[in-house]
């Protein structure tokens, strides 16, 4: 696999971006809990394709995306139609996703644990790609998939008690195989990926380089966590991007 | 995240206006206009405009801050999709603590609020 290297980028990209992006690329190429490395890399290709999909564009422009029928323009034939729909929809129009849409996806044969692994694969890959776009750096070459079968690992302590569409892990996990995945309190947006614990591990790892560590979210707002933007300046960017995304959460 | 910003901000800087598209700077925060401009253009997905805005931000604030801005922007492209895609409710207590702010900013008009609030 060609390592991600930003040392020749047009800006001085601090080293922990390449370190965390490489760790995620390694995980992307490897078999997950429910999908092979080849399927996960195919999902990553589909993320990039979704920006050029006519159906997604027409849905984005429509008053309701549910009024527009058609077929997605896909990057390959490696993924089922329902997985392509999940990838394209989450990337291009996530704000208008409804419970009915989610139930429709489930009725086409996806299991919640599979959906969560797809969701994690989408959002982490998208974050790495968006980082490059934000700096005008060419997108990183996707990794070569690694051989092997999915682990079929399912955490035992996930439940629907959290009120989400998918089972969540508890806010606090002090023991067991998932005790390492976050420090202290896990907010719902972190617990949301808990059905695929490795997706939480990638979430937290990338969080540390792109933003701050989970246990410093409530802390000193005058410091510069990475030597660049101050925490308050970070929140300006975070809040504005979230506002553009109609992020109520 | 907006809630955390305001709650933890012990200074006089107020981020509330950022949900208003007409807000172009934050009083008391030097260079905030550049960060807001960067975030706005980042979300437009226009590579040429983004290159222009990057240059301005780099000249005014430095390359390290530009790199951080891209890291934060890309991170929050991710977090919203996790929330939207999983139908999570807001965390316990957080809605009650920010009802006034939600009303002030009109956040209940967001499409995603329908999912988030229906799960309370």
């Amino acid at each position: 696999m060609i390592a991600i290297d930003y040392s020749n980028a047009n800006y001085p990209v601090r080293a922990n971006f390449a370190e965390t992006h490489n760790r995620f690329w390694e995980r992307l190429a490897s078999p997950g809990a429910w999908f092979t490395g080849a399927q996960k890399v195919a999902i990553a290709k589909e993320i990039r394709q979704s920006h050029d999909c006519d159906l997604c564009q027409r849905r984005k422009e429509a008053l309701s995306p549910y009024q527009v029928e058609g077929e997605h323009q896909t990057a390959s034939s490696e993924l089922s139609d329902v997985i392509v729909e999940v990838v394209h929809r989450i990337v291009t129009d996530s704000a208008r996703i409804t419970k009915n849409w989610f139930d429709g996806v489930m009725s086409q044969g996806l299991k919640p644990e599979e959906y969560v692994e797809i969701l994690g694969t989408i959002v982490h890959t998208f974050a790495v790609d968006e980082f490059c776009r934000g700096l005008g750096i060419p997108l990183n070459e996707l990794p070569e998939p690694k051989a092997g079968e999915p682990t079929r690992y399912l955490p035992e302590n996930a439940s629907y008690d959290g009120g989400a569409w998918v089972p969540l892990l508890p806010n606090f996990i002090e023991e067991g195989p998932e005790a390492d995945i976050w420090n202290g309190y896990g907010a719902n947006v972190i617990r949301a990926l808990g059905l695929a614990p490795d997706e939480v591990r990638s979430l937290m790892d990338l969080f540390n380089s792109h933003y701050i560590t989970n246990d410093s979210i409530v802390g000193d707002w005058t410091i510069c966590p990475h030597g660049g933007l101050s925490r308050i300046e970070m929140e300006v960017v975070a809040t504005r991007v979230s506002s553009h995304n109609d992020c109520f959460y | 995240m907006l809630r955390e910003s305001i709650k933890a901000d012990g200074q006089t800087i107020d981020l509330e206006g950022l949900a208003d598209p007409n807000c172009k700077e934050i009083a008391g925060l030097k260079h905030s206009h550049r960060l807001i401009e960067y975030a706005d253009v980042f979300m437009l997905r226009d590579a040429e405009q983004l290159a222009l805005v990057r240059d301005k931000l780099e000249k005014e604030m430095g390359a390290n801050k530009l790199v951080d801005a891209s890291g934060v922007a890309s991170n929050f492209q991710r977090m919203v999709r996790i929330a939207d895609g999983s139908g999570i409710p807001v965390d316990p207590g957080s809605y009650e603590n920010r009802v006034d702010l939600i009303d002030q900013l009109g956040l209940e008009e967001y499409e995603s609020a329908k999912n988030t609030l229906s799960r309370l």
Side-chain angles (χ1 to χ4, degrees):
Chain A
M1 186 172 80
I2 300 172
I4 292 173
D5 179 6
Y6 298 126
S7 61
N8 292 320
N10 40 353
Y11 303 103
V13 178
R14 53 185 150 79
N16 65 348
F17 276 113
E19 290 164 7
T20 56
H21 291 182
N22 273 310
R23 279 195 290 272
F24 174 65
W25 244 223
E26 177 79 18
R27 192 166 268 158
L28 174 65
S30 304
W34 304 101
F35 294 98
T36 64
Q39 288 170 314
K40 290 166 66 185
V41 173
I43 288 170
K45 289 177 185 169
E46 210 58 59
I47 292 166
R48 294 177 176 183
Q49 170 63 25
S50 67
H51 301 296
D52 297 318
C53 174
D54 286 343
L55 176 59
C56 289
Q57 188 61 39
R58 285 189 286 121
R59 283 180 169 174
K60 185 79 178 168
E61 292 167 356
L63 198 57
S64 166
Y66 304 100
Q67 297 172 326
V68 182
E69 306 253 333
E71 291 186 3
H72 290 289
Q73 293 171 290
T74 60
S76 72
S77 57
E78 294 177 64
L79 301 172
S80 66
D81 289 349
V82 66
I83 294 178
V84 169
E85 164 66 12
V86 169
V87 175
H88 282 230
R89 192 60 196 285
I90 288 173
V91 173
T92 64
D93 198 10
S94 71
R96 296 194 290 176
I97 286 176
T98 63
K99 179 67 163 53
N100 280 344
W101 174 88
F102 175 81
D103 289 342
V105 164
M106 292 295 110
S107 72
Q108 293 177 65
L110 271 188
K111 296 174 182 170
E113 56 269 28
E114 294 171 332
Y115 177 84
V116 169
E117 184 166 292
I118 295 167
L119 178 60
T121 302
I122 293 167
V123 296
H124 306 324
T125 307
F126 189 52
V128 172
D129 282 359
E130 287 290 270
F131 172 75
C132 294
R133 186 178 69 81
L135 291 178
I137 298 172
L139 298 186
N140 296 298
E141 189 176 323
L142 290 172
E144 281 296 316
K146 297 187 174 185
E149 292 300 312
T151 62
R152 311 189 76 76
Y153 176 77
L154 192 60
E156 292 180 356
N157 50 350
S159 79
Y160 282 101
D161 293 349
W165 300 336
V166 296
L168 306 180
L169 291 178
N171 291 109
F172 294 95
I173 307 174
E174 294 178 351
E175 55 186 27
E178 279 72 52
D180 67 301
I181 60 177
W182 59 71
N183 288 329
Y185 178 82
N188 286 348
V189 73
I190 298 170
R191 299 165 69 205
L193 297 180
L195 211 52
D198 277 348
E199 300 309 323
V200 180
R201 293 184 176 97
S202 290
L203 173 71
M204 304 312 290
D205 197 33
L206 292 166
F207 207 70
N208 294 345
S209 60
H210 283 242
Y211 186 47
I212 52 174
T213 57
N214 186 44
D215 52 9
S216 62
I217 284 180
V218 178
D220 184 352
W221 287 61
T222 61
I223 62 166
C224 302
H226 302 289
L229 291 181
S230 69
R231 180 67 196 283
I232 291 173
E233 290 171 333
M234 285 181 149
E235 295 308 318
V236 171
V237 177
T239 306
R240 192 66 166 196
V241 167
S242 298
S243 178
H244 277 287
N245 279 319
D246 283 2
C247 181
F248 182 85
Y249 181 85
Chain B
M1 294 300 174
L2 181 62
R3 169 182 54 85
E4 297 291 351
S5 301
I6 293 163
K7 183 179 177 185
D9 180 8
Q11 304 180 65
T12 56
I13 293 166
D14 184 352
L15 302 179
E16 288 183 21
L18 285 167
D20 178 356
N22 296 315
C23 172
K24 301 300 178 190
E25 65 180 331
I26 301 294
L29 187 59
K30 195 177 179 186
H31 305 306
S32 61
H33 65 293
R34 285 285 169 247
L35 296 171
I36 293 168
E37 182 182 43
Y38 177 81
D40 287 348
V41 175
F42 177 89
M43 293 303 295
L44 288 177
R45 308 191 72 80
D46 181 320
E48 287 184 17
Q49 276 197 61
L50 188 55
L52 295 174
V53 170
R54 267 199 309 270
D55 284 348
K56 287 194 279 188
L57 197 157
E58 182 191 15
K59 282 176 185 155
E60 211 166 288
M61 301 184 73
N64 288 344
K65 294 208 175 201
L66 169 62
V67 171
D68 276 6
S70 187
V72 173
S74 52
N75 185 64
F76 282 85
Q77 285 279 64
R78 176 171 69 147
M79 304 310 282
V80 66
R81 284 168 173 78
I82 298 173
D84 289 341
S86 60
I88 50 169
V90 291
D91 290 88
S94 61
Y95 178 73
E96 294 78 1
N97 292 340
R98 57 175 174 165
V99 167
D100 290 345
L101 176 63
I102 289 167
D103 185 53
Q104 182 183 343
L105 300 183
L107 300 186
E108 287 195 19
E109 293 175 15
Y110 286 176
E111 286 287 326
S112 61
K114 293 173 187 167
N115 298 328
T116 311
L117 292 177
S118 71
R119 310 298 295 171
L120 282 172

